[in-house]
Amino acid sequence: MSNQIQSLYTRSIMLKAEGKLYDAEPLARQYLQHSKNLHVEAHSEVGLALALLASILVGTNQNAEALDCYEQSLAVRENLYEGRDHAEIANCLQQIAVLLHALGRYQQVPVYFERSLEMNKRMHGEDSPAFATDLNVLGVLLMNQTRYEQAEPIMRRSLTIREKVFGDVHPIVATALNNLATLLEKQNNFKEAELLFSRALKIRESNLGPEHKHTIHSRNNLTDLVENKELELYEQNKTKRGMEKKSQVSKEKINHKVSKEPVVPVRRSRLSEQVPKAVRMNQPIRRTSIVH
């Protein structure tokens, strides 16, 4: 790798790590072009440059072009490794599956994801971090398709593997906790979801600090859960009150026909006393999910 190409690669990686994706993108494109000019299309550096650009494009929501780059990178790496299992191939397969899902091409997702899952199982075993990551991603994809019953055991298995490998207080365990809690919240299992969100927040505060973006994400998730739980309780009570009121009105109509007495309305408390704060202020109830 020449000094110029090495510089483009290093600067692209640094800017990406700093979250400056729009600054990183033109450098990554230059790195890819220089790599193609210097090497044949099937060279490992071309595959690396394609994967780097694809990862940056994902971050800027240019998913269609990112998919094309990952597919080209996969072709390069499959040619290089001649049918052998390799982590670079497994990663490309997983990223392609995620992008196909994001683009709504659900029928094609299993083809790539199952290959990635099986490859990581062969290379690392079923109790490995790589396999746990595949399970985590698969669980989130299923959750986003509202296939909650299928997603839950997969997410729980991913969490179990990560706790076994990394211990109970590692940031990667917090990711698994966060995603499982998000799924449980969608199933209205607020009690367990709150416990898991709280664990994830504690881990991230301890390891990353209170102002890290992942810590803030966990804090927001926990806050949103409490608001969603209040909203769900309010809706349940409102339904119950509506049924009771309907029953009461029916009885009063019957009594009125018999006695000819006026019906005295029952005084209700003000709406603001019944509705959770987030609803009164017309604030949106955020529902978040993240894979990282």
Side-chain angles (χ1 to χ4, degrees):
M1 188 182 291
S2 70
N3 290 337
Q4 182 183 13
I5 296 178
Q6 177 66 54
S7 175
L8 287 170
Y9 173 76
T10 303
R11 287 161 62 198
S12 298
I13 289 289
M14 289 178 63
L15 288 169
K16 179 189 171 187
E18 293 171 2
K20 299 176 180 178
L21 300 178
Y22 290 101
D23 293 329
E25 182 183 336
L27 297 181
R29 291 188 185 279
Q30 290 180 52
Y31 170 53
L32 173 60
Q33 189 58 53
H34 281 295
S35 298
K36 286 182 175 180
N37 292 341
L38 191 62
H39 304 291
V40 295
E41 289 287 325
H43 193 276
S44 60
E45 191 169 333
V46 176
L48 176 64
L50 284 163
L52 173 59
L53 177 58
S55 67
I56 292 170
L57 293 172
V58 168
T60 56
N61 294 318
Q62 299 178 70
N63 290 338
E65 187 180 358
L67 176 61
D68 181 60
C69 288
Y70 271 128
E71 288 176 334
Q72 291 183 56
S73 181
L74 175 63
V76 169
R77 286 163 168 173
E78 286 182 324
N79 183 69
L80 283 172
Y81 299 115
E82 299 178 334
R84 301 188 303 274
D85 291 343
H86 196 281
E88 291 176 355
I89 295 176
N91 181 65
C92 277
L93 290 167
Q94 184 187 106
Q95 296 302 326
I96 289 170
V98 171
L99 284 166
L100 287 169
H101 181 276
L103 293 168
R105 293 160 61 178
Y106 303 123
Q107 297 299 321
Q108 296 173 266
V109 171
V111 175
Y112 291 92
F113 204 91
E114 287 171 12
R115 283 188 61 198
S116 172
L117 199 64
E118 290 303 314
M119 191 173 291
N120 275 323
K121 187 191 297 185
R122 289 193 298 269
M123 289 190 298
H124 308 294
E126 294 188 29
D127 292 326
S128 66
F131 190 67
T133 296
D134 274 352
L135 291 173
N136 178 64
V137 174
L138 176 58
V140 171
L141 294 180
L142 290 170
M143 177 179 66
N144 289 341
Q145 295 177 35
T146 68
R147 296 160 66 182
Y148 301 144
E149 291 185 0
Q150 291 175 266
E152 185 175 340
I154 291 171
M155 284 189 173
R156 289 190 185 278
R157 187 177 176 195
S158 176
L159 173 60
T160 299
I161 294 171
R162 286 180 169 181
E163 287 176 328
K164 181 179 178 181
V165 173
F166 298 104
D168 294 337
V169 293
H170 194 281
I172 202 168
V173 172
T175 298
L177 288 166
N178 177 82
N179 291 339
L180 177 56
T182 301
L183 172 65
L184 294 171
E185 181 183 1
K186 290 177 180 292
Q187 296 173 297
N188 291 339
N189 185 351
F190 297 117
K191 184 176 181 180
E192 187 178 2
E194 186 170 359
L195 290 174
L196 298 187
F197 274 139
S198 297
R199 275 189 63 194
L201 176 59
K202 185 176 180 181
I203 292 170
R204 285 171 167 171
E205 284 180 334
S206 176
N207 287 273
L208 306 175
E211 300 305 319
H212 191 277
K213 63 180 182 180
H214 293 167
T215 306
I216 294 171
H217 178 82
S218 281
R219 193 178 301 120
N220 289 341
N221 280 347
L222 187 56
T223 300
D224 291 346
L225 171 70
V226 173
E227 292 178 351
N228 290 339
K229 184 167 64 173
E230 290 178 354
L231 177 59
E232 182 68 20
L233 182 60
Y234 165 73
E235 293 294 341
Q236 290 175 1
N237 289 338
K238 186 171 71 170
T239 301
K240 183 179 179 181
R241 287 195 303 269
M243 293 176 65
E244 290 174 349
K245 181 177 179 181
K246 184 177 180 180
S247 176
Q248 180 65 26
V249 169
S250 297
K251 291 178 181 178
E252 288 170 346
K253 284 182 177 179
I254 293 171
N255 292 336
H256 181 61
K257 287 179 180 179
V258 174
S259 64
K260 307 298 185 182
E261 301 245 344
V263 178
V264 180
V266 179
R267 182 181 179 274
R268 299 289 182 183
S269 58
R270 291 179 299 131
L271 181 62
S272 60
E273 296 171 353
Q274 304 172 40
V275 184
K277 182 178 178 182
V279 181
R280 294 203 305 270
M281 297 175 66
N282 293 321
Q283 296 173 355
I285 300 296
R286 292 172 295 173
R287 292 190 178 275
T288 55
S289 174
I290 190 169
V291 185
H292 60 254

